[in-house]
Amino acid sequence: LKNPLRGLLTQYVNMAVLLSLIASVLIVYFFVGALNRHAVKTDAELIQGGVDFVVARTEAFARDYGWWREALEAFETTDINWMYRNMGSSIETPRAFDILVVAEEADGKIFGWDENNPDTPRPDIFTPAQLADIRDDLATAHALGRYSTSHMMYIDGRPFIISATLMGENPDRSAYSPLDDPMMIIGEELDFVFLTNIGNLFDVRDLQFGQYDTNAANSLALTDSAGHHLAYLVWQPTVPGTHALRMTFLPLISYIAVFLIFAIFIGRRANRLASTAVEGERRATLASKTDCMTGLANRQGFADFVDRPCAEFSAAQGQAAVIFIDLNGFKQINDDAGHKIGDRVLKIVSQRFVNAVRDKAFLARMGGDEFACVLIGSDAEGDADIIARRLIFSLEEPLKIEGSFYQVGAAVGIASSTGNDLQTFPALLHNADVAMYRAKADQLAEPLHYDAKLEEEHQYQRDLCEEMHAGLERGEFSVHYQPIVRASDKSLASVEALLRWTSPTRGSVGPDEFIPIAERTSLIQRLGAFVLKTVCEEIGPDAGFSVAINLSPAQLRDPELCQTFINILDAHNMKPSAIEVELTEGLLVDNLGKAKIRLQQFVDAGFKVNLDDFGTGFASLGYLNEFPFSKIKIDRSYISKCGEDPKVSQTLQAFALLTQSLDLEVVAEGVETEMQSKLIHMLGFDYLQGWHFGRPVPAQKFWAAHGGGATPRASDRSPN
Ligand code: C2E
Ligand code: CA
Ligand code: CA
């Protein structure tokens, strides 16, 4: 099964891991970048500081020499030797300066020393234009109260820092005229030595001159006094961020690895948690839709299955069928053998059903011993019939549980949605149920397809059931009595109490019609008690003959039945010996063990027990010996054929002989003619019952005919 939450979680965890990784990388990237950028800025400031320092030093040299009285005197006296010894020779000293010029250009008096020819003064180190520029600068500075200037300048194509001041010792510098007083000019070349010095000083690598403005952060413009860019300093930017990254690369990678492993772990764990949660939820929903005993879908599971749009669509297309199954004989097993065996039966039956259905249909246990199947497809109706037959067939073999054999059957109804008759699933389920109900009532051994007529009958039966309840309250039920006479002299031996219902709307309804319906509800218990009570009241303790009362198998399921009967009899001062209970043969076949115990209760309490309708079911004569019967009543169908069919006569004779040998009395039911009466007598029957001797009549009429319990003569019998 798919687990949507699992997929979603995996997606989330993956996304979270990916995002954190991206975030980490971005943070590292920006951090490294910021560090690097900051370093470049600091470098630029440091280098600017270095340049400023050199400028300040050069300017300091200019003032030092320029504001020296002996220097001015030596210049004025043109003492070249002095000037060289005390000033010009400094050019040869490292870390001093590269050019020294003293000039009074107006007078053409210019002496200069540079590295090329330190001992011979040169007048042409600066062009006249450059000298004029320097003097201009000085004049501007003087006007502002500054008495020395510095700026960048190219000399012979090489960049220099040039510092200048007017010569003279007078501390009042404003006294000097920047227009015609001699200038002291000191030049420092921004050369390799200068660069390495600054580079070393500030730990900047590869400091160089660049010709072009790179606009990069790691470049610094050197400007002349007019603000023109003379040169650019470029350097290898220090990259502390990159450096740091390189240094921390291994720990970083380890961190990411650990993070990933952790993330995978968390992801797995979350997945597992989600799985358990989802699995739990799935199980819970499944459980709510599953019958835990059989593992089949339950009613809810069935509802969910047919609620799906595709199922609804199939039904709307006339391509769906529902099979409804109700087990026969299960309730009896459950009551008699116990719930444990009952559960085993349900499990085995479910398994057989699953095998019978295979994957052709959806099977559900609707509750109790009810099952339902859904079929979808173009031939759902035909397939439903095949599967329904297979379901019935699957129960043919008895169920072996704990060494005992149990037999259950199935009443099966089918309802289909077809092109001619489109039905929804709720309607199909209802119709299949109706068909099943009918199949059960008719004890059909094959599936019954729903028909609108069944619905009417179903409705009729439901109405009937309701009316019976009401009718019992209103006293619409009564008991009629039919005599049973001795074959020898036709004297009254006993009577059979037969229930009658006269409905105000339906008129007289026969027990064959209403008893089977009452048997499906608790009504049968009330009817049974009603009959006995009525018998007690109408026949009483002094009748001198016993009364046979019919018991429905459904009544026998009540373990208290015998006690209830005894209580009723006690209340009317009657003894169980006055009562014969009659059970039809079918009960024995359906349900051996428990029936025997219950019947024994009746026998022990003093009741007589008769086997009714013998020959209609499948009971073999062997049963007769096993049960505590006192009378066997041979079914009317044999009697009516006797005389017509010699075989039947032979069978009846055999019955009579056999029952005699088993010390059982045998009664012939439904004797309608004198002929039958004589024949049956001849065959060796003990008792006779039938219209020939009296129809069932109300108590009053019965007493009128039989005279308050006096032994009636055959000629006194009530008229037909
Ligand atoms: P049953 O126990 O076999 O009762 C005998 C049925 O045969 C009665 O039908 C009776 O009227 C009918 N009968 C008697 N003599 C003749 C005859 O000569 N010819 C014909 N054709 N029929 C004859 P009834 O009263 O309609 O009862 C039908 C069945 O309903 C009974 O069959 C019995 O199984 C059931 N029944 C009747 N009363 C009760 C009752 O109080 N409780 C239970 N559980 N079942 C009852
Ligand atoms: Ca009977
Ligand atoms: Ca009978």
Side-chain angles (χ1 to χ4, degrees):
L1 263 169
K2 259 199 192 160
N3 182 337
L5 189 57
R6 247 189 104 146
L8 212 64
L9 250 175
T10 313
Q11 231 171 307
Y12 283 163
V13 168
N14 285 349
M15 213 140 69
V17 168
L18 197 73
L19 283 180
S20 343
L21 267 183
I22 290 175
S24 310
V25 168
L26 282 180
I27 286 171
V28 168
Y29 175 79
F30 283 119
F31 186 68
V32 166
L35 259 181
N36 287 350
R37 267 192 308 282
H38 179 73
V40 169
K41 213 178 124 205
T42 323
D43 285 349
E45 280 164 11
L46 287 175
I47 290 165
Q48 183 66 61
V51 172
D52 292 349
F53 168 74
V54 175
V55 169
R57 199 184 59 180
T58 314
E59 211 169 310
F61 273 123
R63 290 175 187 228
D64 197 36
Y65 288 126
W67 298 0
W68 188 6
R69 189 171 45 84
E70 280 89 341
L72 181 61
E73 280 169 11
F75 174 72
E76 278 172 348
T77 57
T78 322
D79 186 350
I80 291 176
N81 274 340
W82 189 96
M83 281 193 282
Y84 174 68
R85 241 186 305 112
N86 292 293
M87 301 190 300
S89 62
S90 293
I91 288 160
E92 287 160 281
T93 320
R95 290 180 160 274
F97 43 82
D98 302 318
I99 286 173
L100 187 142
V101 172
V102 281
E104 201 174 35
E105 348 52 288
D107 303 338
K109 198 171 172 189
I110 303 168
F111 307 99
W113 291 267
D114 68 3
E115 306 155 297
N116 301 336
N117 42 347
D119 36 1
T120 321
R122 284 177 59 196
D124 57 348
I125 293 177
F126 293 106
T127 63
Q130 285 175 324
L131 285 175
D133 278 351
I134 294 169
R135 194 166 281 282
D136 267 3
D137 275 351
L138 261 179
T140 317
H142 262 256
L144 297 168
R146 281 188 57 230
Y147 303 108
S148 54
T149 61
S150 290
H151 57 265
M152 308 280 164
M153 188 176 276
Y154 270 97
I155 299 164
D156 291 340
R158 292 179 296 149
F160 277 80
I161 291 168
I162 299 299
S163 296
T165 187
L166 295 174
M167 294 181 79
E169 195 189 20
N170 189 351
D172 179 13
R173 300 304 297 177
S174 59
Y176 294 95
S177 155
L179 295 178
D180 40 34
D181 280 333
M183 298 188 292
M184 167 65 70
I185 304 169
I186 300 289
E188 165 78 12
E189 187 181 358
L190 301 180
D191 58 359
F192 180 73
V193 178
F194 162 83
L195 292 177
T196 27
N197 281 346
I198 295 186
N200 287 344
L201 194 60
F202 300 109
D203 198 19
V204 182
R205 285 187 305 139
D206 286 347
L207 189 63
Q208 286 174 359
F209 285 106
Q211 285 297 327
Y212 308 103
D213 182 1
T214 58
N215 229 344
N218 55 327
S219 89
L220 187 70
L222 300 177
T223 49
D224 62 12
S225 59
H228 300 127
H229 291 191
L230 285 182
Y232 301 93
L233 287 177
V234 289
W235 63 94
Q236 188 74 36
T238 46
V239 278
T242 315
H243 192 62
L245 181 66
R246 220 171 281 140
M247 299 263 288
T248 52
F249 193 67
L250 212 70
L252 206 71
I253 284 290
S254 319
Y255 157 76
I256 288 175
V258 168
F259 173 79
L260 277 180
I261 289 169
F262 189 66
I264 289 169
F265 172 76
I266 293 272
R268 290 245 172 109
R269 176 108 206 152
N271 255 341
R272 215 169 310 137
L273 274 174
S275 301
T276 356
V278 169
E279 183 65 14
E281 199 178 79
R282 195 180 66 84
R283 282 217 196 111
T285 17
L286 206 67
S288 72
K289 295 176 188 175
T290 309
D291 167 44
C292 58
M293 185 166 65
T294 61
L296 297 177
N298 60 15
R299 193 170 272 276
Q300 184 59 48
F302 180 91
D304 284 1
F305 183 84
V306 299
D307 260 358
R308 295 170 314 142
C310 66
E312 283 173 347
F313 180 76
S314 303
Q317 294 292 302
Q319 302 193 340
V322 169
I323 306 174
F324 203 97
I325 307 128
D326 187 285
L327 298 185
N328 291 331
F330 171 76
K331 281 191 185 69
Q332 208 64 51
I333 295 175
N334 210 30
D335 289 349
D336 300 346
H339 293 287
K340 222 179 99 191
I341 298 293
D343 288 355
R344 294 279 299 277
V345 168
L346 285 177
K347 277 185 207 166
I348 297 174
V349 167
S350 300
Q351 197 47 55
R352 289 194 187 177
F353 281 179
V354 167
N355 293 340
V357 165
R358 288 193 216 113
D359 50 1
K360 294 259 189 297
F362 176 81
L363 178 66
R365 180 178 168 220
M366 303 299 274
D369 59 351
E370 292 177 346
F371 297 82
C373 262
V374 183
L375 286 98
I376 285 170
S378 52
D379 194 23
E381 190 178 23
D383 290 344
D385 192 75
I386 295 168
I387 285 181
R389 282 169 201 280
R390 269 201 243 145
L391 290 171
I392 294 171
F393 183 73
S394 76
L395 299 179
E396 257 187 16
E397 200 183 312
L399 320 175
K400 191 180 178 191
I401 298 165
E402 289 176 4
S404 305
F405 287 96
Y406 298 88
Q407 184 78 57
V408 287
V412 179
I414 299 175
S416 336
S417 176
T418 60
N420 308 327
D421 182 20
L422 293 175
Q423 298 285 347
T424 63
F425 270 110
L428 286 178
L429 184 64
H430 170 83
N431 293 349
D433 187 28
V434 167
M436 180 283 291
Y437 204 72
R438 184 50 186 263
K440 191 169 194 91
D442 294 354
Q443 296 187 318
L444 294 182
E446 49 181 35
L448 183 65
H449 287 259
Y450 174 81
D451 183 300
K453 258 188 255 158
L454 293 180
E455 181 70 72
E456 283 167 32
E457 286 171 16
H458 189 67
Q459 190 55 45
Y460 166 78
Q461 290 183 355
R462 263 195 301 201
D463 294 349
L464 205 65
C465 206
E466 271 173 36
E467 285 176 37
M468 274 156 68
H469 270 282
L472 193 59
E473 301 290 328
R474 291 196 292 254
E476 291 165 16
F477 283 84
S478 62
V479 176
H480 284 197
Y481 302 90
Q482 186 178 31
I484 293 150
V485 300
R486 294 182 186 90
S488 51
D489 60 357
K490 314 295 184 289
S491 60
L492 180 73
S494 59
V495 293
E496 178 168 5
L498 294 160
L499 192 54
R500 293 288 177 267
W501 178 29
T502 311
S503 154
T505 51
R506 298 172 192 273
S508 150
V509 186
D512 282 332
E513 194 174 336
F514 67 78
I515 291 287
I517 294 166
E519 274 178 338
R520 293 187 200 129
T521 70
S522 60
L523 186 65
I524 192 68
Q525 314 285 359
R526 293 180 60 199
L527 288 177
F530 167 80
V531 170
L532 184 62
K533 258 186 223 157
T534 312
V535 164
C536 290
E537 284 158 12
E538 295 182 340
I539 304 296
D542 311 314
F545 52 85
S546 55
V547 183
I549 284 174
N550 293 285
L551 274 194
S552 143
Q555 279 171 277
L556 259 205
R557 264 183 232 135
D558 174 13
E560 302 293 314
L561 183 71
C562 184
Q563 193 55 51
T564 311
F565 272 30
I566 292 170
N567 293 346
I568 293 172
L569 290 171
D570 278 352
H572 294 87
N573 203 20
M574 277 179 78
K575 298 225 156 52
S577 57
I579 303 295
E580 301 173 14
V581 291
E582 295 193 358
L583 283 151
T584 81
E585 194 194 45
L587 174 81
L588 305 183
V589 181
D590 284 351
N591 175 46
L592 269 174
K594 210 48 168 239
K596 205 166 156 185
I597 296 169
R598 295 274 156 84
L599 291 185
Q600 193 62 53
Q601 289 176 343
F602 278 91
V603 172
D604 293 346
F607 292 93
K608 278 182 223 118
V609 180
N610 299 343
L611 179 61
D612 206 351
D613 305 332
F614 187 76
T616 52
F618 303 94
S620 71
L621 290 166
Y623 283 121
L624 303 183
N625 211 11
E626 277 200 47
F627 287 88
F629 297 123
S630 47
K631 280 183 190 157
I632 308 297
K633 297 180 86 169
I634 307 296
D635 192 67
R636 198 169 67 221
S637 53
Y638 289 87
I639 311 303
S640 60
K641 280 185 211 136
C642 139
E644 296 163 18
D645 187 342
K647 264 197 198 149
V648 173
S649 304
Q650 281 168 22
T651 312
L652 287 178
Q653 192 165 26
F655 274 154
L657 280 173
L658 203 114
T659 46
Q660 273 166 16
S661 73
L662 290 172
D663 212 13
L664 293 165
E665 294 176 315
V666 59
V667 184
E669 287 188 312
V671 181
E672 293 182 351
T673 64
E674 180 70 26
M675 246 275 280
Q676 286 169 345
S677 164
K678 284 197 172 126
L679 249 170
I680 306 276
H681 183 202
M682 258 167 43
L683 291 174
F685 279 64
D686 303 298
Y687 300 100
L688 307 172
Q689 177 182 4
W691 294 347
H692 184 60
F693 307 103
R695 293 200 177 219
V697 288
Q700 254 187 334
K701 219 169 172 189
F702 179 83
W703 286 128
H706 295 282
T711 307
R713 296 168 54 100
S715 50
D716 291 343
R717 69 181 177 259
S718 65
N720 282 359

